[in-house]
Amino acid sequence: MDNNWIVENLTNAFGVWNSKMTEMWSLLTESPQTFKGGTIWQTTERLTNLRFVNKRG
């Protein structure tokens, strides 16, 4: 019986696993200021600033 297909499937599975874990790690360790070019962070700061300006005025 030839077991090469098992080794090949395991190798492919670990390759996908490592790729996805690398992708997830890069997302988890990225700062909010650089995530998606910082657009989400900038929008959050603008909304926060607007909220405080409206409370003062």
Side-chain angles (χ1 to χ4, degrees):
M1 182 183 262
D2 189 44
N3 289 331
N4 286 340
W5 67 272
I6 295 173
V7 173
E8 187 177 325
N9 282 343
L10 285 172
T11 301
N12 288 337
F14 284 127
V16 170
W17 173 266
N18 286 336
S19 171
K20 296 302 177 185
M21 290 302 290
T22 300
E23 183 179 349
M24 287 179 62
W25 183 253
S26 70
L27 287 171
L28 289 171
T29 58
E30 188 170 3
S31 73
Q33 292 86 352
T34 60
F35 180 71
K36 299 274 187 184
T39 305
I40 296 171
W41 182 258
Q42 292 166 3
T43 303
T44 303
E45 284 185 323
R46 285 187 195 122
L47 291 173
T48 302
N49 289 338
L50 284 174
R51 194 177 105 210
F52 287 120
V53 167
N54 288 336
K55 274 189 170 182
R56 287 188 220 154

